Amino acid sequence: MAELVMAIVLLGMIVTVTVMVFTRMLASTSKTTNQTVGLVFAQRRLEQATQIGPPETPGGPGWGISDPSEVLAEGVYTPDDRLQTTFWNRLTVQSLDERSVMPDGGRKMGDLYRLRVEVYWWASDPDNPQPIVRQGLGVQKVELETIYYYQRMKD
Amino acid sequence: MNRRGLTLPEVVVCFGIFSLLSLVALGTLVYGATGFHQVVYQQGSQNDVRRIMAALQRDLASTHHRSITVEKRQSVAGYARDAMALCSLDSWSDPANFDNYLRPRWNCYVVYYASREQNGVNEAGKLVRQVCYPRGTPVGAFEYATFISSPESLIRDGEPLQSDEVRSQILTDRLWKFELVDNPLTQSVSIRLSLRNPPQKRATGIERDLHSIEVLQEIKPANTWPQI
């Protein structure tokens, strides 16, 4: 009888571990799928922002956004072909003006910016979407940034 | 030593326990195998998407916007299966492909197209990249005349064309949607690429929803020659 109990317990442990391993593997693959999609979203957002460029006048519209805190949402069929997953993205622009100053005090040839895009999914509150952390999966977002030089003669 | 043997109830109980354990073990094995296949398919789709987007990024960013032609097409079920042609160089590292001012001597066209056939439950088509060397016609930073006048001579469903003039490469065979939009204002091309994997069967016989991966991208051709 003891052998039987031992065998069942062992089998139970093996089954539990196997199921856990495959469940974790599936969840991990699902996350990398979303990361792949998120990364392409981020590249696209940076591409669009650099196509439009900075505002002509300080405070004016530029980079394709009217409000710097604006969060854009787009749905794509990932990973389910019947249900869209919403990906939110936020662009933040930091001027690196102090680094583009000419050392001899001459005319500036342009402006230097740091553009950062944050893309996240499965956000908790659709009205105020914020990146979430899932147990065992970590934070559900990707970030991409680039340094962008906009050529513009200045006095 | 017990030489009595086993009674019938003992044999029945033994078989019952053995069957139960076998069921649990088999169930775990099936679950593991299904999960493993799903992971392999999903990883494959991700790799395909990365590879396709890298190829599109490279070809589109290095060409001139004036040479791009987009052909809108659909599969039988109404999914976007577009095609696109653009001018390019067969080798960007060969100095003979550039003039004295390092301007490219465009010598081939690259065609991307999605086949319209629908294979399998996932209604998959192929995404094909073709490098075309038109005979007797100089390649410039202009639209591909053959692609516009008779696209069927290049684009075909089923097996892609292979000849001295056309070299085809299948990028994926699980394509769901391939939608292209040319934006003349921003001089860029918007891309929607979706891949869909075949369904996985459960032990109950019910098929799962199809796993898909979809990306949106916008790429601006960066080459300005001959329009500087």
Side-chain angles (χ1 to χ4, degrees):
Chain A
M1 187 64 187
E3 292 95 329
L4 192 65
V5 171
M6 203 56 192
I8 291 173
V9 167
L10 270 177
L11 187 73
M13 279 168 64
I14 291 168
V15 167
T16 311
V17 169
T18 312
V19 169
M20 273 176 63
V21 164
F22 280 108
T23 308
R24 193 59 68 88
M25 205 160 78
L26 271 175
S28 161
T29 309
S30 177
K31 183 180 178 181
T32 53
T33 301
N34 286 329
Q35 280 178 325
T36 303
V37 176
L39 197 63
V40 179
F41 260 117
Q43 287 168 345
R44 176 172 176 248
R45 190 78 185 86
L46 283 179
E47 176 78 32
Q48 287 171 336
T50 51
Q51 276 176 28
I52 293 165
E56 285 301 314
T57 51
W63 311 109
I65 46 173
S66 49
D67 174 10
S69 61
E70 189 179 18
V71 179
L72 302 179
E74 272 186 285
V76 287
Y77 289 101
T78 299
D80 194 329
D81 72 322
R82 293 183 197 171
L83 199 67
Q84 285 195 329
T85 304
T86 304
F87 284 77
W88 285 272
N89 67 75
R90 183 181 4 230
L91 174 74
T92 46
V93 182
Q94 182 191 1
S95 172
L96 302 174
D97 211 29
E98 72 283 357
R99 298 193 195 180
S100 55
V101 171
M102 299 297 283
D104 57 354
R107 294 177 74 190
K108 273 177 65 183
M109 299 292 284
D111 297 318
L112 200 62
Y113 297 94
R114 175 184 283 129
L115 307 180
R116 174 178 293 166
V117 178
E118 198 182 21
V119 179
Y120 43 94
W121 54 96
W122 298 349
S124 49
D125 180 9
D127 295 327
N128 181 28
Q130 294 295 329
I132 59 159
V133 180
R134 280 273 177 100
Q135 194 179 3
L137 289 175
V139 64
Q140 303 296 300
K141 74 166 183 178
V142 289
E143 279 184 14
L144 193 66
E145 71 171 43
T146 187
I147 301 294
Y148 176 67
Y149 183 73
Y150 185 73
Q151 193 173 327
R152 179 161 58 180
M153 287 293 256
K154 281 187 172 181
D155 293 328
Chain B
M1 193 176 169
N2 183 7
R3 300 176 69 88
R4 191 169 55 92
L6 295 168
T7 61
L8 187 62
E10 280 173 338
V11 172
V12 170
V13 168
C14 185
F15 269 107
I17 292 171
F18 182 74
S19 308
L20 203 71
L21 295 183
S22 301
L23 266 177
V24 171
L26 198 69
T28 313
L29 196 72
V30 169
Y31 176 81
T34 311
F36 181 73
H37 275 116
Q38 221 173 332
V39 168
V40 167
Y41 271 124
Q42 289 183 23
Q43 297 278 12
S45 296
Q46 285 177 47
N47 291 340
D48 279 359
V49 163
R50 287 198 201 104
R51 200 161 39 84
I52 292 165
M53 293 318 289
L56 280 164
Q57 178 82 41
R58 188 190 58 228
D59 286 332
L60 271 167
S62 57
T63 194
H64 187 289
H65 181 260
R66 214 164 81 182
S67 75
I68 295 173
T69 312
V70 170
E71 175 88 8
K72 304 300 281 183
R73 291 150 40 93
Q74 278 190 343
S75 70
V76 181
Y79 302 130
R81 298 273 168 96
D82 295 348
M84 168 176 70
L86 49 97
C87 73
S88 189
L89 290 182
D90 57 358
S91 168
W92 286 88
S93 55
D94 184 356
N97 285 341
F98 298 89
D99 67 10
N100 293 337
Y101 299 99
L102 294 177
R103 295 175 302 203
R105 292 188 173 111
W106 304 113
N107 59 9
C108 65
Y109 287 100
V110 173
V111 174
Y112 282 88
Y113 75 88
S115 64
R116 288 180 293 190
E117 82 268 22
Q118 299 179 166
N119 297 317
V121 188
N122 55 339
E123 301 170 311
K126 296 187 192 80
L127 182 64
V128 179
R129 179 182 183 268
Q130 284 182 330
V131 182
C132 309
Y133 301 92
R135 271 197 193 138
T137 346
V139 179
F142 311 107
E143 293 158 331
Y144 189 9
T146 312
F147 180 80
I148 295 169
S149 59
S150 55
E152 67 283 354
S153 64
L154 301 162
I155 298 170
R156 55 172 66 171
D157 299 330
E159 278 308 299
L161 185 66
Q162 290 287 4
S163 68
D164 291 344
E165 289 182 46
V166 179
R167 289 182 208 155
S168 302
Q169 177 193 6
I170 298 172
L171 297 176
T172 185
D173 58 359
R174 42 185 129 175
L175 186 85
W176 182 24
K177 297 176 203 161
F178 183 57
E179 192 177 358
L180 300 161
V181 179
D182 182 20
N183 310 309
L185 263 180
T186 54
Q187 299 215 326
S188 62
V189 177
S190 300
I191 302 161
R192 178 186 292 269
L193 172 74
S194 312
L195 308 188
R196 192 155 73 165
N197 285 323
Q200 297 289 307
K201 279 187 181 171
R202 282 176 172 168
T204 51
I206 301 165
E207 289 174 348
R208 301 172 72 99
D209 290 340
L210 301 181
H211 177 270
S212 62
I213 178 167
E214 185 170 65
V215 289
L216 306 175
Q217 180 60 290
E218 185 164 329
I219 304 170
K220 187 179 169 73
N223 208 308
T224 53
W225 175 246
Q227 193 180 40
I228 297 175

